[in-house]
Amino acid sequence: MTRQGECAGCAPGFGAENAVPHARHRDAEFHHHHSHASTSHHSGDHHLLAIEHLTVSFDMYDSDAPFFAAERRSHEQLHGLSLSVHEGEVLAVVGASGSGKSLLADAIMGLYEPNACVTGTIWFDGELMDAKKLPQLRGRGISFVPQSVEHLDPLMRVGDQIIGACARADRDLRRQRMRAFMEAYGLDASVERMYPYELSGGMARRVLLICALMDEPRLIVADEPTPGLDLDIAVHAVEDLRTFADGGGGVLLITHDIDLALTVADRVAVFHGGTIVEETSASSFASPDTLRHPFSRALWRAMPQHGFAVPDGSADGGCA
Amino acid sequence: MSLEAREISFAYDRSHPLLDGFSLSVAAGERVAIVASSGAGKTTLCRILAGYIAPHAGSVLVDGADLAAADPRSPRPVQLIWQHPEQAFDPRMRMGHSLAEGTGERSKEQALARACTDGLLDAFGIRSEWLSRYPHELSGGELMRFCIARALLARPRYLICDEISAMLDAVTQAEVWHALLDCVDGTGLGLVIVSHAPALLDQVATRRVPLVPA
């Protein structure tokens, strides 16, 4: 097994810019395509999750050609994407809605469409992953918090869903675990007997998070957990993720809401045009001067409190 | 010239009235933000102002005329831009048809031609190839552009914007709002804006009205 995900001494194979022993990584120092936040640390001398040069493409029929003559074409959606998550930190991936951020979550969870072609390398906790190993980590190391309440079974009581399928002997143990989590996250005991339609948006978010926490994950991947929620509930939802990270876990928070991301994230990865253009400490967003990529700066300037500016030449619609 | 809500009351559950004697006046060309906590009835108020639901008491007046008495065959003078664009389109209708549907024009071609000459497609960055697509083939941000263009194509006098940019990233949000404000500028169109982002309201609203739960 190769252990290139390691950071100590930065194994050969990474660029010369990375030839810095990990013990000397400091805040805002640039290495492995990213710079650190003050809370980032490499336990066991490697990243909790490291992704290098991830490319996802889809094999589709040419939509411009006549139906029977259409040939298969490959559409590349993610291009050479690299990022890493450390223990005890929240990494927010921010970018435009509909730009393919969710494909990143799918790739980490090992959920591949039949026509997808995925290349690149993913290390989890220092171990090189492949298409067989990633699905085995679902619920056993990596947990997924999906976007909406629609991911809950509408015909099953919430409590039964959280406990999930398990051996009869484990059932009572898991029930106790669930009750402890429900109390910790401010859910009433009566919620256990409810059906998903009876939950408010904020309660549903907590139920989904508890589902993820039940399996004691090391890493949580949360895909757009907040749209459609009011600000106070959204802040609660992301603070719950923060609490998990403070307990030593890693969180990959995929969102389009940069304001919200900045309230909880240690680091921010800016997603643009199918790849991560910059991975930096959240404090770099205090000023556009500390951001490296033009799109990050455009994102900063477009925030309402920073001038609400539109980048030049971005609208390209028109009449036929 | 104003959009006026007079002493509006509404309740989903009789024992818990949501709106009780709420009044609001939006002058032509004004951009009024409705500010309230979650569940206070912002979206319900938007639907009442646009005539989708009738208040239990009180009335909505558009430039002095009762909204309930408006001609149902012509486009409504108050247009509502819905919060969730993915739920605002017929999933089996191509976007061009959906866009042309709410206008006073006889045919789809006429309506789309007017969308072009009015500059709506340009302003919101709507590409012509999107017109032949179905809603599920577009992203949320792209659908939201259609929602706004569709509302403006009906030539309303007042426009209700219910969380129209909550699901957009910062750059798209700025693009969409700038395009909308450019279209509205100088036309005397009155705006009612609902948003949970105070920084956004600082940029786009001219006045704030708190909605206090009944």
PDB file of all heavy atoms in Angstrom, chain A residues 250-269:
ATOM      1  N   GLY A 250     -13.708  15.349  11.105  1.00  0.00           N
ATOM      2  CA  GLY A 250     -13.518  16.256   9.972  1.00  0.00           C
ATOM      3  C   GLY A 250     -14.843  16.476   9.273  1.00  0.00           C
ATOM      4  O   GLY A 250     -15.679  15.578   9.238  1.00  0.00           O
ATOM      5  N   VAL A 251     -15.067  17.682   8.771  1.00  0.00           N
ATOM      6  CA  VAL A 251     -16.319  17.977   8.075  1.00  0.00           C
ATOM      7  C   VAL A 251     -16.008  18.591   6.718  1.00  0.00           C
ATOM      8  O   VAL A 251     -15.205  19.521   6.612  1.00  0.00           O
ATOM      9  CB  VAL A 251     -17.204  18.958   8.882  1.00  0.00           C
ATOM     10  CG1 VAL A 251     -18.446  19.326   8.080  1.00  0.00           C
ATOM     11  CG2 VAL A 251     -17.602  18.357  10.211  1.00  0.00           C
ATOM     12  N   LEU A 252     -16.630  18.044   5.675  1.00  0.00           N
ATOM     13  CA  LEU A 252     -16.569  18.648   4.359  1.00  0.00           C
ATOM     14  C   LEU A 252     -17.958  19.227   4.099  1.00  0.00           C
ATOM     15  O   LEU A 252     -18.917  18.495   3.916  1.00  0.00           O
ATOM     16  CB  LEU A 252     -16.220  17.591   3.311  1.00  0.00           C
ATOM     17  CG  LEU A 252     -16.025  18.110   1.884  1.00  0.00           C
ATOM     18  CD1 LEU A 252     -14.729  18.876   1.776  1.00  0.00           C
ATOM     19  CD2 LEU A 252     -16.020  16.957   0.901  1.00  0.00           C
ATOM     20  N   LEU A 253     -18.060  20.549   4.148  1.00  0.00           N
ATOM     21  CA  LEU A 253     -19.360  21.222   4.024  1.00  0.00           C
ATOM     22  C   LEU A 253     -19.473  21.807   2.627  1.00  0.00           C
ATOM     23  O   LEU A 253     -18.747  22.734   2.282  1.00  0.00           O
ATOM     24  CB  LEU A 253     -19.457  22.319   5.093  1.00  0.00           C
ATOM     25  CG  LEU A 253     -20.631  23.294   5.002  1.00  0.00           C
ATOM     26  CD1 LEU A 253     -21.946  22.578   5.208  1.00  0.00           C
ATOM     27  CD2 LEU A 253     -20.479  24.404   6.029  1.00  0.00           C
ATOM     28  N   ILE A 254     -20.369  21.240   1.829  1.00  0.00           N
ATOM     29  CA  ILE A 254     -20.543  21.717   0.459  1.00  0.00           C
ATOM     30  C   ILE A 254     -21.704  22.692   0.443  1.00  0.00           C
ATOM     31  O   ILE A 254     -22.813  22.347   0.865  1.00  0.00           O
ATOM     32  CB  ILE A 254     -20.814  20.529  -0.487  1.00  0.00           C
ATOM     33  CG1 ILE A 254     -19.621  19.588  -0.470  1.00  0.00           C
ATOM     34  CG2 ILE A 254     -21.086  21.019  -1.897  1.00  0.00           C
ATOM     35  CD1 ILE A 254     -19.816  18.336  -1.291  1.00  0.00           C
ATOM     36  N   THR A 255     -21.494  23.915   0.007  1.00  0.00           N
ATOM     37  CA  THR A 255     -22.556  24.913   0.072  1.00  0.00           C
ATOM     38  C   THR A 255     -22.318  26.009  -0.961  1.00  0.00           C
ATOM     39  O   THR A 255     -21.224  26.163  -1.473  1.00  0.00           O
ATOM     40  CB  THR A 255     -22.637  25.535   1.488  1.00  0.00           C
ATOM     41  OG1 THR A 255     -23.673  26.488   1.523  1.00  0.00           O
ATOM     42  CG2 THR A 255     -21.333  26.217   1.864  1.00  0.00           C
ATOM     43  N   HIS A 256     -23.384  26.759  -1.284  1.00  0.00           N
ATOM     44  CA  HIS A 256     -23.195  27.925  -2.141  1.00  0.00           C
ATOM     45  C   HIS A 256     -23.198  29.193  -1.305  1.00  0.00           C
ATOM     46  O   HIS A 256     -22.943  30.275  -1.800  1.00  0.00           O
ATOM     47  CB  HIS A 256     -24.304  27.986  -3.193  1.00  0.00           C
ATOM     48  CG  HIS A 256     -25.645  28.261  -2.587  1.00  0.00           C
ATOM     49  ND1 HIS A 256     -26.525  27.263  -2.266  1.00  0.00           N
ATOM     50  CD2 HIS A 256     -26.217  29.413  -2.203  1.00  0.00           C
ATOM     51  CE1 HIS A 256     -27.596  27.793  -1.716  1.00  0.00           C
ATOM     52  NE2 HIS A 256     -27.448  29.098  -1.658  1.00  0.00           N
ATOM     53  N   ASP A 257     -23.540  29.056  -0.025  1.00  0.00           N
ATOM     54  CA  ASP A 257     -23.752  30.222   0.831  1.00  0.00           C
ATOM     55  C   ASP A 257     -22.446  30.587   1.541  1.00  0.00           C
ATOM     56  O   ASP A 257     -22.130  30.056   2.593  1.00  0.00           O
ATOM     57  CB  ASP A 257     -24.848  29.892   1.844  1.00  0.00           C
ATOM     58  CG  ASP A 257     -25.319  31.134   2.581  1.00  0.00           C
ATOM     59  OD1 ASP A 257     -24.556  32.120   2.618  1.00  0.00           O
ATOM     60  OD2 ASP A 257     -26.436  31.105   3.112  1.00  0.00           O
ATOM     61  N   ILE A 258     -21.697  31.481   0.950  1.00  0.00           N
ATOM     62  CA  ILE A 258     -20.368  31.771   1.485  1.00  0.00           C
ATOM     63  C   ILE A 258     -20.443  32.454   2.844  1.00  0.00           C
ATOM     64  O   ILE A 258     -19.617  32.205   3.718  1.00  0.00           O
ATOM     65  CB  ILE A 258     -19.544  32.600   0.491  1.00  0.00           C
ATOM     66  CG1 ILE A 258     -18.145  32.853   1.032  1.00  0.00           C
ATOM     67  CG2 ILE A 258     -20.198  33.910   0.140  1.00  0.00           C
ATOM     68  CD1 ILE A 258     -17.115  32.957   0.001  1.00  0.00           C
ATOM     69  N   ASP A 259     -21.469  33.277   3.043  1.00  0.00           N
ATOM     70  CA  ASP A 259     -21.643  33.948   4.332  1.00  0.00           C
ATOM     71  C   ASP A 259     -21.716  32.941   5.466  1.00  0.00           C
ATOM     72  O   ASP A 259     -21.019  33.049   6.473  1.00  0.00           O
ATOM     73  CB  ASP A 259     -22.963  34.722   4.318  1.00  0.00           C
ATOM     74  CG  ASP A 259     -22.732  36.196   4.090  1.00  0.00           C
ATOM     75  OD1 ASP A 259     -21.610  36.641   4.390  1.00  0.00           O
ATOM     76  OD2 ASP A 259     -23.658  36.869   3.626  1.00  0.00           O
ATOM     77  N   LEU A 260     -22.596  31.953   5.262  1.00  0.00           N
ATOM     78  CA  LEU A 260     -22.815  30.938   6.273  1.00  0.00           C
ATOM     79  C   LEU A 260     -21.558  30.089   6.450  1.00  0.00           C
ATOM     80  O   LEU A 260     -21.159  29.766   7.567  1.00  0.00           O
ATOM     81  CB  LEU A 260     -23.984  30.059   5.846  1.00  0.00           C
ATOM     82  CG  LEU A 260     -24.568  29.178   6.913  1.00  0.00           C
ATOM     83  CD1 LEU A 260     -25.310  30.030   7.923  1.00  0.00           C
ATOM     84  CD2 LEU A 260     -25.499  28.170   6.298  1.00  0.00           C
ATOM     85  N   ALA A 261     -20.912  29.750   5.328  1.00  0.00           N
ATOM     86  CA  ALA A 261     -19.710  28.927   5.388  1.00  0.00           C
ATOM     87  C   ALA A 261     -18.645  29.625   6.238  1.00  0.00           C
ATOM     88  O   ALA A 261     -17.982  28.995   7.052  1.00  0.00           O
ATOM     89  CB  ALA A 261     -19.182  28.660   3.985  1.00  0.00           C
ATOM     90  N   LEU A 262     -18.536  30.936   6.065  1.00  0.00           N
ATOM     91  CA  LEU A 262     -17.490  31.653   6.789  1.00  0.00           C
ATOM     92  C   LEU A 262     -17.762  31.713   8.294  1.00  0.00           C
ATOM     93  O   LEU A 262     -16.839  31.895   9.069  1.00  0.00           O
ATOM     94  CB  LEU A 262     -17.347  33.081   6.239  1.00  0.00           C
ATOM     95  CG  LEU A 262     -16.700  33.176   4.856  1.00  0.00           C
ATOM     96  CD1 LEU A 262     -16.658  34.614   4.389  1.00  0.00           C
ATOM     97  CD2 LEU A 262     -15.305  32.583   4.865  1.00  0.00           C
ATOM     98  N   THR A 263     -19.042  31.543   8.704  1.00  0.00           N
ATOM     99  CA  THR A 263     -19.311  31.593  10.135  1.00  0.00           C
ATOM    100  C   THR A 263     -18.781  30.356  10.859  1.00  0.00           C
ATOM    101  O   THR A 263     -18.501  30.433  12.046  1.00  0.00           O
ATOM    102  CB  THR A 263     -20.822  31.712  10.442  1.00  0.00           C
ATOM    103  OG1 THR A 263     -21.485  30.576   9.900  1.00  0.00           O
ATOM    104  CG2 THR A 263     -21.421  32.975   9.873  1.00  0.00           C
ATOM    105  N   VAL A 264     -18.651  29.209  10.175  1.00  0.00           N
ATOM    106  CA  VAL A 264     -18.208  28.003  10.881  1.00  0.00           C
ATOM    107  C   VAL A 264     -16.922  27.393  10.344  1.00  0.00           C
ATOM    108  O   VAL A 264     -16.274  26.637  11.053  1.00  0.00           O
ATOM    109  CB  VAL A 264     -19.273  26.881  10.861  1.00  0.00           C
ATOM    110  CG1 VAL A 264     -20.477  27.291  11.652  1.00  0.00           C
ATOM    111  CG2 VAL A 264     -19.632  26.500   9.455  1.00  0.00           C
ATOM    112  N   ALA A 265     -16.560  27.683   9.095  1.00  0.00           N
ATOM    113  CA  ALA A 265     -15.460  26.935   8.484  1.00  0.00           C
ATOM    114  C   ALA A 265     -14.105  27.424   8.977  1.00  0.00           C
ATOM    115  O   ALA A 265     -13.916  28.596   9.269  1.00  0.00           O
ATOM    116  CB  ALA A 265     -15.534  27.050   6.969  1.00  0.00           C
ATOM    117  N   ASP A 266     -13.150  26.475   9.087  1.00  0.00           N
ATOM    118  CA  ASP A 266     -11.756  26.846   9.349  1.00  0.00           C
ATOM    119  C   ASP A 266     -11.091  27.226   8.043  1.00  0.00           C
ATOM    120  O   ASP A 266     -10.303  28.144   7.979  1.00  0.00           O
ATOM    121  CB  ASP A 266     -11.006  25.661   9.957  1.00  0.00           C
ATOM    122  CG  ASP A 266     -11.619  25.233  11.272  1.00  0.00           C
ATOM    123  OD1 ASP A 266     -11.649  26.066  12.181  1.00  0.00           O
ATOM    124  OD2 ASP A 266     -12.089  24.088  11.352  1.00  0.00           O
ATOM    125  N   ARG A 267     -11.436  26.438   6.999  1.00  0.00           N
ATOM    126  CA  ARG A 267     -10.853  26.722   5.703  1.00  0.00           C
ATOM    127  C   ARG A 267     -11.937  26.688   4.637  1.00  0.00           C
ATOM    128  O   ARG A 267     -12.981  26.066   4.819  1.00  0.00           O
ATOM    129  CB  ARG A 267      -9.752  25.703   5.382  1.00  0.00           C
ATOM    130  CG  ARG A 267      -8.561  25.824   6.346  1.00  0.00           C
ATOM    131  CD  ARG A 267      -7.390  24.993   5.901  1.00  0.00           C
ATOM    132  NE  ARG A 267      -7.746  23.613   5.737  1.00  0.00           N
ATOM    133  CZ  ARG A 267      -7.638  22.953   4.591  1.00  0.00           C
ATOM    134  NH1 ARG A 267      -7.172  23.557   3.517  1.00  0.00           N
ATOM    135  NH2 ARG A 267      -7.993  21.687   4.518  1.00  0.00           N
ATOM    136  N   VAL A 268     -11.687  27.352   3.545  1.00  0.00           N
ATOM    137  CA  VAL A 268     -12.658  27.429   2.461  1.00  0.00           C
ATOM    138  C   VAL A 268     -11.970  27.001   1.169  1.00  0.00           C
ATOM    139  O   VAL A 268     -10.870  27.456   0.870  1.00  0.00           O
ATOM    140  CB  VAL A 268     -13.192  28.876   2.305  1.00  0.00           C
ATOM    141  CG1 VAL A 268     -14.126  28.964   1.112  1.00  0.00           C
ATOM    142  CG2 VAL A 268     -13.903  29.321   3.568  1.00  0.00           C
ATOM    143  N   ALA A 269     -12.621  26.073   0.442  1.00  0.00           N
ATOM    144  CA  ALA A 269     -12.133  25.699  -0.884  1.00  0.00           C
ATOM    145  C   ALA A 269     -13.087  26.305  -1.899  1.00  0.00           C
ATOM    146  O   ALA A 269     -14.296  26.087  -1.822  1.00  0.00           O
ATOM    147  CB  ALA A 269     -12.090  24.183  -1.021  1.00  0.00           C
TER     148      ALA A 269
END
